[in-house]
């Protein structure tokens, strides 16, 4: 008796065709809220990746020579279909990743915005005439697509991340092979259906599921793949960067976060607490921009701890498709065990548990990977969760005294993706914002993402940007044309 009876059999999308893995193997993806199978997924390897790269390489001359305006029309069509199918897609995201439906809808909106905005923005990928010091010569530049791109997608934003990469790449004239995370492969293969329905030329976009290292290795070693765009852990990013060096490939790396949040005593406490709670428990804490270290000025530390704990206790936790659910499960039990380990370590070192601090109890939670919304106060700097990404629903509060100390603590990790400041003193907000070593700073604001805005990190949080004009540059080369003009 197979455990996945009734789960649909999904297919990879290569060269405009839905197909199974060359080796014929499959695996089952699981709903983390109830342990039920979501779909049976092809377990592809290097053979499938190679076929996909063949298709993307064949499609590149055709796609890259279309005008940007025509490519934009294709992307608008994909966006139209995604818009029409958003209800169905949101349910797929929630059932495979676990996040509440309203968060899945947010991902879809960002995806649709990215398709439309990049479709139009690529029409403005201008070159330039350069004033030339040499008589009889003209210098001009044009922006060319990089070529075939390999994209590696994480499980925590399984739909949004596809479009953050595919929209600028395709708009620029690149073709792409995408490899989703194992845990959320069904989301990706449903999105492949959207592309199939939009009827783009075969091979422009391809989806390969299965063995990460084998597929990744094709991206690294096949010379036709000119660029790798990766979102995931710093450890895997490092492996890919090393591999990319052999063939001098371009890379974009969106890696680990470990975001600091600084709450000054002069903040608007009601608004700030709402924002911090929303940021912390977004996607059950599984977000690279999520609040990992919450520094609270000591005069308000107790009140913040108490009120955040009240909030955490009142949150409705459950299957993300149920009405009113504010927080879903973690991606799997391994993630729950990691959070338990980090909380155990912090408590042993002196942190106080103000809410949660354990798995969710009760029948509704037995088959899922649920951890309770948790608030820890007086967490010591030596706790492992200060230096590691928690990637779970644990608000860790650290007390600080002065502005100087807050900035030093915030910068005292090797990561630098996002940071957040809460204060009503704008001089302080700007002063501190300028000193934080991160790619993004939210000032009394936690929402950083928009198709129009560059998203990315510094230090060990990565290289490159997604979103905005900068996100298009990631898929363009600048070519210089030097032209002799007679007479
Ligand atoms: P996380 O810890 O968030 O799962 P990972 O970096 O392990 O982060 O995974 C992010 C993505 O990278 C996933 O799609 C995963 O399958 C992929 N991945 C993991 N290891 C490799 C590898 N050696 N080569 C290519 N891709 C990989």
């Amino acid at each position: 008796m197979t455990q996945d009876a009734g789960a649909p059999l999904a297919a990879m999308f290569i060269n405009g065709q839905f197909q199974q893995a060359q080796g014929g193997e499959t695996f089952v993806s699981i709903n983390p809220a109830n342990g039920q199978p979501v779909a049976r997924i092809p377990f592809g390897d290097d053979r499938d990746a190679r076929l996909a790269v063949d298709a993307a390489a064949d499609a590149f001359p055709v796609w890259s020579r279309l005008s940007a305006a025509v490519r934009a029309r294709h992307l608008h069509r994909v966006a139209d279909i995604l818009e029409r199918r958003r209800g169905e897609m949101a349910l797929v995201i929630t059932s495979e990743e676990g996040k509440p439906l309203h968060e899945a809808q947010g991902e879809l909106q960002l995806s649709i915005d990215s398709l439309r905005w990049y479709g139009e923005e690529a029409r403005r990928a201008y070159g330039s005439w350069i004033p030339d010091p040499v008589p009889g010569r003209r210098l001009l530049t044009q922006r060319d697509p990089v070529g075939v791109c390999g994209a590696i997608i994480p499980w925590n934003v399984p739909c949004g991340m596809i479009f953050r990469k595919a929209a600028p790449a395709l708009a620029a004239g690149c073709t792409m092979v995408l490899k989703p995370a194992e845990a959320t492969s069904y989301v990706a293969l449903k999105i492949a259906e959207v592309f199939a329905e939009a009827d783009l030329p075969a091979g422009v976009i391809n989806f390969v599921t299965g063995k990460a290292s084998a597929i990744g290795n094709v991206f690294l070693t096949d010379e036709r793949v000119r660029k790798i765009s990766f979102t995931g852990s710093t450890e895997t990013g490092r492996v890919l960067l090393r591999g990319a060096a052999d063939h001098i490939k371009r890379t974009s790396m969106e890696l680990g976060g470990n975001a600091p949040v600084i709450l000054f005593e002069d903040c608007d406490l009601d608004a700030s607490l709402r924002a911090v709670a929303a940021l912390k428990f977004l996607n059950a804490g599984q977000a690279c921009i999520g609040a990992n270290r919450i520094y609270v000025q000591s005069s308000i530390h107790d009140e913040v701890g108490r009120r955040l704990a009240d909030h955490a206790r009142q949150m409705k936790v459950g299957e993300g498709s149920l009405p009113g659910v504010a927080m879903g499960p973690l991606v799997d039990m391994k993630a729950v065990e990691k959070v338990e380990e980090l909380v155990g370590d912090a408590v042993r070192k002196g942190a106080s548990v103000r809410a949660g601090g354990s798995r969710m109890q009760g029948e509704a939670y037995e088959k899922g990977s649920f951890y309770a919304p948790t608030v820890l106060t007086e967490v010591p700097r030596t706790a492992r969760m200060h230096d590691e990404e928690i990637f779970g629903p644990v608000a860790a509060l650290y007390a600080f005294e002065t502005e100087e100390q807050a900035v030093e603590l915030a910068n005292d990790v090797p990561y630098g993706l996002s940071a957040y400041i809460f204060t009503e003193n704008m001089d302080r907000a700007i002063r501190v914002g300028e000193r934080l070593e991160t790619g993004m700073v939210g000032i009394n604001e936690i929402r950083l993402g928009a198709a129009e805005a560059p998203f990315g990190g510094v230090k060990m949080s990565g290289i490159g940007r997604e979103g905005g004009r900068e996100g298009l540059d990631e898929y363009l080369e600048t070519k210089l044309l030097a032209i002799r003009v007679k007479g």
Side-chain angles (χ1 to χ4, degrees):
M1 185 66 190
T2 53
Q3 181 216 11
D4 61 313
L9 174 65
M12 296 192 284
F13 187 60
I14 299 175
N15 203 22
Q17 303 292 323
F18 285 100
Q19 56 196 67
Q20 292 302 312
Q22 293 297 301
E25 283 183 57
T26 58
F27 69 100
V28 176
S29 85
I30 298 294
N31 181 333
N34 57 25
Q36 292 296 307
V38 174
R40 186 165 272 282
I41 308 289
F43 192 70
D45 57 25
D46 55 314
R47 290 168 288 180
D48 307 279
R50 195 79 66 193
L51 285 176
V53 173
D54 290 345
D58 288 347
F60 179 68
V62 180
W63 183 250
S64 58
R65 282 182 207 143
L66 293 177
S67 71
V70 170
R71 288 197 299 266
R73 284 212 289 278
H74 282 289
L75 295 191
H76 282 300
R77 211 167 54 248
V78 178
D80 291 343
I81 296 166
L82 200 55
E83 220 151 29
R84 177 165 51 71
R85 294 178 65 172
R86 67 193 289 167
E88 167 205 356
M89 289 296 168
L91 277 170
V92 173
I93 295 171
T94 293
S95 68
E96 205 180 33
E97 202 272 351
K99 64 182 62 176
L101 274 178
H102 66 269
E103 290 185 23
Q105 287 287 2
E107 249 193 81
L108 281 156
Q109 191 56 52
L110 182 62
S111 305
I112 292 161
D113 290 348
S114 298
L115 285 162
R116 297 201 190 287
W117 192 79
Y118 274 114
E120 295 307 315
E121 187 63 7
R123 300 174 69 178
R124 294 183 273 273
Y126 303 116
S128 60
W129 283 91
I130 298 167
D132 196 325
V134 176
R137 190 181 66 178
R138 300 290 184 274
L139 294 177
L140 68 103
T141 59
Q142 69 181 39
R143 312 298 312 280
D144 290 340
V146 169
V148 175
C149 300
I152 300 174
I153 311 292
W155 50 263
N156 64 336
V157 191
C159 167
M161 280 297 147
I162 289 175
F163 289 99
R164 294 286 264 182
K165 297 181 194 305
L170 268 49
C174 298
T175 56
M176 190 166 246
V177 180
L178 286 120
K179 192 214 82 67
E182 295 79 342
T184 52
S185 294
Y186 191 51
V187 171
L189 297 181
K190 293 302 280 183
I191 288 167
E193 285 180 12
V194 171
F195 278 102
E197 194 180 334
D199 203 22
L200 268 56
V204 166
I205 189 156
N206 307 273
F207 291 79
V208 180
T209 48
K211 195 169 168 53
S213 56
I215 298 164
N217 204 40
V218 171
F219 291 174
L220 292 174
T221 55
D222 191 314
E223 296 205 357
R224 296 171 298 173
V225 178
R226 292 311 318 148
K227 151 124 198 172
I228 295 173
S229 177
F230 171 74
T231 302
S233 63
T234 298
E235 299 81 70
T236 307
R238 201 179 279 123
V239 170
L240 293 171
L241 274 171
R242 276 203 199 101
D246 280 342
H247 293 273
I248 320 292
K249 290 190 192 216
R250 282 185 64 172
T251 56
S252 303
M253 295 278 145
E254 208 259 89
L255 309 176
N258 198 349
V261 175
I262 308 175
L263 278 158
F264 289 102
E265 59 193 2
D266 55 14
C267 69
D268 171 344
L269 200 51
D270 290 345
S272 305
L273 283 170
R274 273 196 303 277
V276 172
L279 178 68
K280 179 61 250 181
F281 299 115
L282 176 76
N283 198 19
Q286 304 168 111
C288 52
I289 55 161
N292 207 61
R293 296 167 285 145
I294 304 173
Y295 299 115
V296 188
Q297 205 151 20
S298 54
S299 57
I300 57 169
H301 176 269
D302 282 350
E303 184 178 0
V304 169
R306 182 173 45 75
R307 289 178 61 180
L308 267 182
D310 288 345
H311 175 95
R313 277 191 292 269
Q314 281 159 21
M315 284 176 74
K316 184 166 173 190
V317 179
E319 217 170 311
S321 55
L322 298 175
V325 163
M327 195 182 96
L330 300 196
V331 66
D332 55 25
M333 284 314 292
K334 222 172 91 197
V336 172
E337 285 159 18
K338 164 95 192 288
V339 172
E340 281 179 332
E341 204 181 298
L342 290 177
V343 169
D345 169 79
V347 170
R348 269 194 305 282
K349 289 173 179 163
S352 308
V353 180
R354 297 298 167 101
S358 63
R359 297 180 190 194
M360 292 294 293
Q361 307 297 325
E363 209 181 320
Y365 304 111
E366 268 168 16
K367 298 208 165 85
S369 37
F370 290 96
Y371 194 87
T374 294
V375 177
L376 304 181
T377 57
E378 291 108 13
V379 181
R381 165 70 187 82
T382 51
R384 273 177 58 196
M385 63 173 62
H386 189 276
D387 296 326
E388 292 178 38
E389 245 182 321
I390 305 168
F391 241 57
V394 180
L397 273 54
Y398 305 80
F400 74 89
E401 303 295 334
T402 65
E403 182 180 310
E404 186 62 28
Q405 194 191 4
V407 173
E408 271 173 28
L409 282 165
N411 288 337
D412 190 25
V413 295
Y415 299 95
L417 187 60
S418 60
Y420 308 85
I421 308 165
F422 291 89
T423 174
E424 290 298 289
N425 177 341
M426 270 300 129
D427 296 323
R428 164 177 272 167
I430 293 169
R431 225 166 33 228
V432 173
E434 286 177 349
R435 289 183 61 198
L436 290 173
E437 297 165 359
T438 56
M440 300 171 284
V441 178
I443 298 176
N444 299 325
E445 176 60 271
I446 56 161
R447 293 160 305 167
L448 305 173
E452 295 86 342
F455 182 107
V458 300
K459 294 161 78 177
M460 272 168 52
S461 290
I463 302 169
R465 294 292 180 271
E466 286 182 331
R469 265 186 298 152
E470 292 84 349
L472 188 65
D473 288 340
E474 301 281 331
Y475 295 95
L476 291 169
E477 299 282 9
T478 298
K479 177 184 277 168
L480 174 72
L481 299 167
I483 306 165
R484 175 125 307 272
V485 180
K486 289 188 186 139

